[in-house]
Each structure stands twice: as structure tokens, then as C-alpha cells.
Amino acid sequence: MQSEPKEVKYFIQGMDCADCALSLEKSLANIQGVEQVNVNFTTGFLEANGSFEPQALVKRVEALGYQVVTPGLAYPNESQNGNTQAAGSLRLPGFLGYLYASTQTRMALLGAVLLLLSIPFALFGSGLYSQWIKTGLQLAAAGLAGYPIVNRGVRALFIGRQITIDLLMSIATLGALFIGEISEACTVVLLFSIGEALEGYTADKARRSLQSLLSLKPERAHVMRPCIDCEEHMGQGGYTGGPCPECGEHELTLPVEQIAIGERVIVRPGERIPVDGHVLSGISLVNQAPVTGESVPVQKAPGDKVYAGTLNGEAVLELSVSQIAAESTISRIVRLVDQAQAQRAPVERSIDRFASWYTPAVVVLAACVAVIPPLLFGAPFFDINGTHGWLYRALTLLIVACPCALVISTPVTMVSSLTALAGCGVLVKGGKFIDVLARARLFAFDKTGTLTVGQPTVTHARSVDCLPDALRCPACEDMLALAATVEQRSEHPLAQAIMAEVQRRQLTHTYPAAESVQSLAGQGVQGISNGSSILVGSHDLFHARDDALDHQLHEDIQSAMDDGQTVMLVGKDDYLVGYVSVADAPRPTTADTLRQLKAIDPRFSTVMLTGDNPTVAARVALTLGSLDEVRAGLLPEDKLNAVRDLQAAHGLVVMVGDGVNDAPALAAADTGIAMGGAGSAQAMETADVVLMQDDLTHLPGTIQTARQTQAIIKQNIAFSLVVKAVFLLLTLPGLTTLWMAVFADMGASLLVTLNGMRMLRKKI
């Protein structure tokens, strides 16, 4: 009977190089019922889905010489990974501790000790007895270090039907022993073992970088709960259990997973905020850098939103929980970064495809090198008079051609970049979006809420009887108070802008709220307050009712409208009292951000896509000064079509919006960037890239990081190929040795890994 469809995720221990992951993935893909499988060396995770038995997957992994450490979504703790000491063993620092952590690397260490012991016999011993000891020690060293390699290589060949780097190294080592090059065989296998361990150690450091995010998630919280089944007061006053009427609420320290929405949590100074929520009481500075990437702490007061993982400052805060721990912002960040790290970039998939036929081709080429010259040209097969024969050269070629450095050149760089960006408050959901950000030349921006604040504010309030030189004009404030009487119950953004200004000036209770409030078909609102008829409406509405604008305010009103501001006129009992102009101002950081973007590459083009009217859009564009094109009056479907037009004209398009209203355009773009993700779960889930901070400050740094990531990947690939080509040219005429080939291969792998890990230090 066919198994039910399922998805599994396991952490795999024992993978020392990217080729291990590649061969393991191909072998697991052959299991019946497996529809898709992904083994990521840099994250250490195996993910598979399909109609298969999980135990069959586990058995195949173990049969190939690896261990399934733990299932689940989280990284295993330190006692479960390869970067720890064996139970009860001596704890050693750094790389020595890593070497001592597993049986395979301990065998390599013991082999290295035996090789060192053989050196005095090789240098100073001339007798037959000394030669026997030297040979015995070197054979033992080669056996200890080589057994795990040969074992994995043979298993991969017969179980997984894969020719792996372990198999190439096994053939080279056994061939060297066969032709009597015992010292070289021993050196080769030890260099390979230690080099693989060093590669695994550096990759493990990159892999563990995600734990810096995991460590931000507090495990416990101080929650206020009622005293339940209080033993002290049981039986008093008829109390028989449940919430104690005498004790009231008291503070309990519980795991965050047990905290429910709506509960009250206490956060002391210096503690990390354990859950997403809103401040009920207390005022404190909170360091939000782990979530939003903001460089300075932000003051939080009652009503403000706070995020799990951020650090409380100098005062106690009482919070109301708004999200369970599993759905907190920091939990979603970790989950999305983890998923992003498992996705392969296009260049990585291309290299994997290349390696799938490259490694078998190397075996065929090495066989041809060993056989054809001796058969056709009479060249020596074995070494003669200190000259390497063609068998030796073929064995060297096997080592030189190992694709380790090439295969690992991309993933470790991508993982480092994704993790570094997440630490700066930028979530990129996969390597392919890094690739688009690095190559794109056109950036389209939504206006409202992206380039601008998104909240209209009052720019001018002027009455007919305005006193221009007064610090606070009583007539203008009276006009605002009248407008508030009919606007205070409206949810319209313009009404909210007026009410915000009225509250700022402390005019809310100047007049009683209007009665018989009536909306006038989108042109305004009217009502009765204190016996007077109050009307707030558009320029056209007042013209239609009375030609009352032939007044000294007319020029000011027209000037405000020409500047792209929305003007609302205020009337009382059929008389014009004054006007209020409202505008959605550009964000303070937007102009500088656009200039920085242009400074990265003068070929960049920037376009505004907005549903606002052309006059307002043109005014905002003029204020910002760095926009190449403005398209205004666009409905959501118009924005979608605009993105497609831009793609046809310019190629790759990056769309930046708020992640909600611009969803169709964000989805159509090659990469959609949503800002303000810390306050929007929908933005985090739908966009390809999320700027957690509520502005565009991190956009230029994100583009620079993407371009640097691509540059490092190109450096790594070029370096790997050049090293292979140079040693190939030196190997054919017999100018290289086996140990030199191993040193070059492992050295190249280590260098590209360290080069890629430079991105972990990237700050934006």
C-alpha cells in the first residue's frame, strides 16, 4: 500500500564537503516515493517530500556513512552537532576540538601522529629494520585515515550509484600504494582528511551563524497570572478552588510557549522582550537592532508595539501579548531565513549540474591518461629513474580535478550573505533574489507609504481673519476647532489628519461634537454644532453652493492646490471661515536613499508608480529630485501592467511597496521588496525581500550587499577553475606530486569558503 504524502526535515552529521551533500541528494532521490529532496551542505539540513517511509530515508543516509542527528525545523543544540566533544572526552578549543569530536577525524589525528613518528626513521634510519618500522607506521597511518574515506566512497558507488570525491581519493591512495609510493599515499590521505575536516569546520561556523538569531528568542517570560487553588486561603470565606479572591494576580516565570495572547508580561531593565506585544505601562528605550536593524534605541511608551528578541533599556515595561511565541516577529524571521538558506541560487544549480557529469568525466580522463600514452607511444606506465610514469600522473589528475572548491564556491557565500542581511533587518527569501538584486537596473516605487509617510498631515490652516504675525492665531485655531466638530467621527485619512492637528493644538473640546452629521457624496461633510451649520468640503463643493471664493484666500488656496496639496474649505452658516491644506510628506530619509541608490550605479533608473493624481505625484517627485519617471493615476491592475511594460523595456525590475496594497505589482516584479515588515506579518509572508524597518534606509546597502555577494561568487568560481587548469597543465608533463595536488585542492576549497564567509561581517 502506498504511503501517505509527507514532508520531513533532518539534520545530517558527517558531511565534510559540498560534494558529499550533492551525492547524498542524488542517492536519496532514487528511493521509491521520494518526489523532491534537497540536501544543503551549508545548513546541514535534508528536506524531502513525497509518498515514502521516513525510515527508508534514514536507513539510506546511514548506509552511505552519515548520521541523522535530529528531525525538526530548528538547528540541533551543541551536543548534537559535529562541533562538540564526544561525551566524557577532554574538551579542546577551536579546530582541535572539532577534530576530536568524531571517530573519523580522531582516526585521522592518530594517523597524523603515526606519520610524525615515522619521520625520524625515514631521515636517520638506514637499516632494514628502520625501513620496516617506517613503512609499518606509514601504512598504519594511511589505513587509519583512509578507511573512512574508502568506506564512504565504496558505499556511494554501490548503494548510491555515485562517483564521489571520496572514491576519487580512494583510487588515488590505493594506486599510490600499489606503485610503492607509500609516503605519498600516507601524506595524501592525511592531508585530505584534515583538509576535509577544516572545510567542514569553517562551513560549520557559517552554518551556526543562524544561531545568533535563534539566541535572540528568550526562552522564558515573567507573566502576571491569578493564584490558582491557593493552599493558604483554601476553605476561607467559602473558597474551594480556582482563582484565589485574596491573592489576586502574581508574577510567574514560564516558558514563552505557554504564554497566551492577551496576557500581561513584565520585562525588567536589561532583559530581552520575550513576546510580540503592546506596552501597557512604562516608558523605556528599546534596542530594536536585532529585528529592524535600527542603529539607535527607540523610545517605547504605552500603546507602542514591541517585538520579541529586542532589548529593554532602563525601565520596567508591562506588555499585553499580541502574538504567541511561535508566531512572533523574531520566530518568523528565523523561519524565513532558514527556508531561504535551503534554496539554491541559479548559479548554484548550474554548478551542481556541471559537477554531476564532471566527476565521472574526470575518472574516464584519468583512465585515458594512464593507458593511452603507454599503449600508443611507448611511454612508461610506472615511475622510472625518478620520472613519474603515466599511472602516477593519472592518479594526480584524479585529485587535481576534484570539484570541491567549485561546488562550495556559491552556497557558503549565499548563506553568509542571507544571514548577515537578516542580522541587519533585511530578509531575503533565497539566493535567486540576491542574484536579481545584483543584476537589476530598474527600481519601481509605490508612492504612498513607501516614498512618503503614508499619513496625510496638515500643512496650512488659515482663516479669513488670520493674524499673520501672531505666534498662535486665535481665528485659525477657532476654524480648526469648528472643522473638528464634524470630522471627529470620520475614519477618512483627511479627517484623521485634521483631528491629529486639533489634538496637537489641544482644541478637541472647544466645541461640542456636531449632530446630524451627513456625508456629501465624497465632496465633504456637514453637521450642526452649537446651533450653527458647519460644512467642511472641497473647493468644487463650495463653488457649487456659493461663489464665495472671490476672497483674499483664493490665491493661497490655488497655490496650495498647485503644490499638490489637498485643500478642504471650512464654512459656518453659509460663510467661508477658512481652509485647511493637507499633504502626505516624503519620508525624511527618502531623498537621501534615492541619491545613494543612484550613486551605486549611474545606470540605475527609478520610477514612481502611484494611484494619486498627477499634480501630487509630480510635486513629490520634484521634492525628492532623483526619480527618472512618474506614472500617476494608476489602479492596482494598472500598476501590474506598468511593471510588465517596464520589464519588456528594461529587463529585470525590482518593485518596492508596502506589501499589501501593491501585492499584484510586487508579485509581477522579478523581485518584490516590502518595507515595514516588523509591523506586517502579511508583508513578511508575501514579499521576496522584506525591509523590517519602516523606511527605505537599508535599500542601498542591500543592493550593495547583493552586488558584493555576486562578485565574491564570481571570484570563487574563477579561482577554482584557474587552480584546476594550472595544476592540470602541470600534471600532464609530470611536474606535480600527489601531495601537492591534495594541498592545492583542499587549499582552494578552504580559501573560497573563507572568502565567502567574509559576507558574515557585512553591515549595511
Side-chain angles (χ1 to χ4, degrees):
M1 185 175 66
Q2 191 176 24
S3 176
E4 291 293 325
K6 59 181 65 66
E7 295 182 5
V8 297
K9 185 170 186 176
Y10 299 107
F11 186 83
I12 306 300
Q13 182 179 327
M15 296 188 297
D16 294 323
C17 68
D19 186 69
C20 298
L22 194 60
S23 61
L24 179 59
E25 180 180 289
K26 292 178 181 177
S27 176
L28 296 176
N30 294 326
I31 296 177
Q32 184 177 1
V34 173
E35 297 176 3
Q36 186 175 9
V37 63
N38 176 41
V39 181
N40 192 300
F41 170 62
T42 45
T43 65
F45 277 120
L46 154 67
E47 295 179 82
N49 59 65
S51 302
F52 60 90
E53 290 298 329
Q55 193 58 34
L57 206 70
V58 172
K59 287 183 178 179
R60 176 65 62 88
V61 172
E62 293 174 345
L64 291 170
Y66 307 100
Q67 295 82 46
V68 177
V69 178
T70 180
L73 293 175
Y75 277 74
N77 59 42
E78 290 192 353
S79 65
Q80 293 173 306
N81 66 44
N83 194 24
T84 57
Q85 310 297 313
S89 67
L90 176 67
R91 299 195 65 84
L92 298 172
F95 181 54
L96 285 177
Y98 186 89
L99 286 175
Y100 201 70
S102 69
T103 302
Q104 175 182 333
T105 48
R106 286 199 296 273
M107 291 174 68
L109 276 177
L110 182 57
V113 171
L114 295 178
L115 179 61
L116 291 174
L117 291 175
S118 73
I119 292 177
F121 294 97
L123 294 177
F124 308 111
S126 56
L128 183 62
Y129 184 70
S130 296
Q131 292 299 315
W132 284 353
I133 294 177
K134 179 200 75 170
T135 301
L137 288 172
Q138 290 179 348
L139 285 173
L144 284 170
Y147 172 76
I149 298 169
V150 174
N151 184 40
R152 282 207 310 263
V154 172
R155 287 188 182 194
L157 179 64
F158 288 100
I159 298 175
R161 303 292 190 267
Q162 299 291 321
I163 297 177
T164 64
I165 291 174
D166 288 322
L167 184 63
L168 298 184
M169 195 58 58
S170 301
I171 295 171
T173 303
L174 294 173
L177 292 173
F178 173 71
I179 61 178
E181 298 285 355
I182 298 175
S183 297
E184 284 210 44
C186 179
T187 305
V188 163
V189 75
L190 281 171
L191 281 175
F192 178 75
S193 296
I194 294 174
E196 288 277 275
L198 188 57
E199 185 180 337
Y201 174 69
T202 53
D204 187 68
K205 290 184 68 176
R207 179 183 305 141
R208 307 303 297 181
S209 63
L210 184 60
Q211 279 206 313
S212 63
L213 295 175
L214 286 170
S215 65
L216 299 175
K217 297 170 59 178
E219 295 182 355
R220 307 184 75 80
H222 311 301
V223 61
M224 300 299 296
R225 286 187 176 177
C227 180
I228 303 296
D229 297 336
C230 178
E231 295 182 2
E232 180 181 352
H233 299 104
M234 188 70 71
Q236 300 180 13
Y239 174 61
T240 59
C244 178
E246 300 293 332
C247 293
E249 288 189 326
H250 64 289
E251 185 178 308
L252 294 175
T253 301
L254 299 172
V256 291
E257 292 78 11
Q258 297 181 17
I259 309 301
I261 294 175
E263 291 198 275
R264 292 186 295 127
V265 170
I266 305 298
V267 185
R268 300 185 178 91
E271 290 183 339
R272 290 202 178 274
I273 294 174
V275 289
D276 285 6
H278 292 86
V279 178
L280 292 176
S281 65
I283 299 176
S284 181
L285 291 175
V286 174
N287 182 356
Q288 298 189 146
V291 172
T292 66
E294 291 170 289
S295 58
V296 295
V298 178
Q299 181 172 288
K300 298 294 183 179
D304 290 339
K305 186 173 179 60
V306 292
Y307 308 107
T310 56
L311 186 64
N312 184 28
E314 74 284 357
V316 175
L317 292 177
E318 183 178 348
L319 314 176
S320 173
V321 180
S322 62
Q323 295 282 352
I324 61 173
E327 295 301 323
S328 68
T329 300
I330 192 67
S331 295
R332 294 199 302 269
I333 290 174
V334 171
R335 187 162 59 245
L336 291 172
V337 172
D338 187 28
Q339 293 170 358
Q341 288 182 334
Q343 294 184 19
R344 288 192 172 103
V347 64
E348 188 178 352
R349 291 195 296 269
S350 299
I351 290 174
D352 288 347
R353 288 193 296 268
F354 172 76
S356 66
W357 63 263
Y358 169 80
T359 306
V362 166
V363 176
V364 175
L365 177 61
C368 293
V369 168
V371 173
I372 291 178
L375 285 180
L376 299 184
F377 305 105
F381 184 70
F382 296 104
D383 296 355
I384 297 179
N385 299 326
T387 301
H388 293 311
W390 286 92
L391 175 59
Y392 184 95
R393 301 180 197 193
L395 297 175
T396 306
L397 178 63
L398 282 178
I399 299 174
V400 168
C402 287
C404 274
L406 186 62
V407 172
I408 204 173
S409 60
T410 298
V412 73
T413 308
M414 281 294 183
V415 167
S416 299
S417 181
L418 292 169
T419 305
L421 284 170
C424 295
V426 179
L427 298 185
V428 183
K429 298 184 180 178
K432 65 179 181 180
F433 303 116
I434 291 279
D435 180 67
V436 172
L437 291 175
R439 295 189 293 119
R441 298 288 181 271
L442 190 136
F443 296 83
F445 297 90
D446 169 53
K447 181 185 75 69
T448 305
T450 302
L451 297 176
T452 65
V453 176
Q455 295 179 345
T457 56
V458 173
T459 56
H460 294 91
R462 185 177 177 187
S463 74
V464 172
D465 301 319
C466 176
L467 300 176
D469 298 327
L471 185 63
R472 293 189 63 170
C473 174
C476 294
E477 292 194 340
D478 187 73
M479 181 265 298
L480 273 172
L482 285 172
T485 62
V486 294
E487 297 283 19
Q488 59 185 273
R489 290 188 175 91
S490 174
E491 296 297 324
H492 194 281
L494 298 180
Q496 292 178 351
I498 290 178
M499 290 308 302
E501 182 68 12
V502 167
Q503 290 169 7
R504 187 183 71 81
R505 300 193 188 197
Q506 298 181 339
L507 305 171
T508 308
H509 303 295
T510 303
Y511 293 105
E515 300 174 351
S516 304
V517 177
Q518 180 181 2
S519 178
L520 303 175
Q523 290 189 304
V525 62
Q526 65 180 5
I528 305 298
S529 176
N530 212 22
S532 298
S533 174
I534 309 300
L535 173 65
V536 179
S538 67
H539 181 277
D540 293 339
L541 175 64
F542 272 73
H543 258 308
R545 292 196 165 209
D546 185 10
D547 192 14
L549 296 182
D550 292 332
H551 195 278
Q552 60 184 7
L553 293 184
H554 185 271
E555 291 184 1
D556 292 340
I557 293 171
Q558 190 61 48
S559 176
M561 294 174 63
D562 291 341
D563 280 343
Q565 300 178 37
T566 300
V567 176
M568 294 173 287
L569 278 61
V570 181
K572 177 181 178 182
D573 294 333
D574 297 328
Y575 291 98
L576 178 65
V577 179
Y579 77 92
V580 180
S581 61
V582 175
D584 183 11
R587 293 180 182 273
T589 58
T590 298
D592 186 55
T593 297
L594 293 176
R595 284 194 293 269
Q596 291 180 36
L597 198 62
K598 289 278 191 177
I600 295 174
D601 191 334
R603 295 174 295 173
F604 281 174
S605 296
T606 52
V607 180
M608 178 199 294
L609 305 179
T610 177
D612 214 332
N613 70 72
T615 301
V616 173
R619 175 58 58 181
V620 171
L622 182 63
T623 302
L624 297 175
S626 297
L627 289 165
D628 299 310
E629 183 182 350
V630 176
R631 300 191 183 189
L634 304 178
L635 297 174
E637 58 267 26
D638 298 325
K639 286 188 179 182
L640 174 63
N641 293 329
V643 168
R644 289 172 176 167
D645 291 342
L646 292 170
Q647 287 171 323
H650 299 273
L652 297 175
V653 170
V654 175
M655 174 70 192
V656 187
D658 61 13
V660 180
N661 298 331
D662 303 302
L666 290 171
D670 296 279
T671 292
I673 300 180
M675 51 176 280
S680 171
Q682 184 174 354
M684 290 184 66
E685 298 298 334
T686 58
D688 304 319
V689 179
V690 183
L691 307 178
M692 301 299 290
Q693 200 169 340
D694 196 24
D695 59 34
L696 298 174
T697 305
H698 286 156
L699 180 61
T702 302
I703 302 302
Q704 288 179 316
T705 299
R707 290 163 75 93
Q708 185 178 351
T709 300
Q710 288 298 94
I712 289 177
I713 288 172
K714 291 177 181 178
Q715 293 169 10
N716 285 347
I717 293 174
F719 177 74
S720 303
L721 293 175
V722 167
V723 168
K724 299 300 179 189
V726 169
F727 270 80
L728 176 62
L729 294 175
L730 294 175
T731 296
L732 293 179
L735 300 177
T736 58
T737 61
L738 291 172
W739 69 266
M740 288 171 60
V742 173
F743 190 79
D745 180 65
M746 293 295 102
S749 298
L750 181 60
L751 286 175
V752 299
T753 300
L754 294 175
N755 192 35
M757 288 178 63
R758 288 194 296 128
M759 294 306 300
L760 284 173
R761 303 193 298 270
K762 181 70 176 177
K763 300 296 180 183
I764 61 175

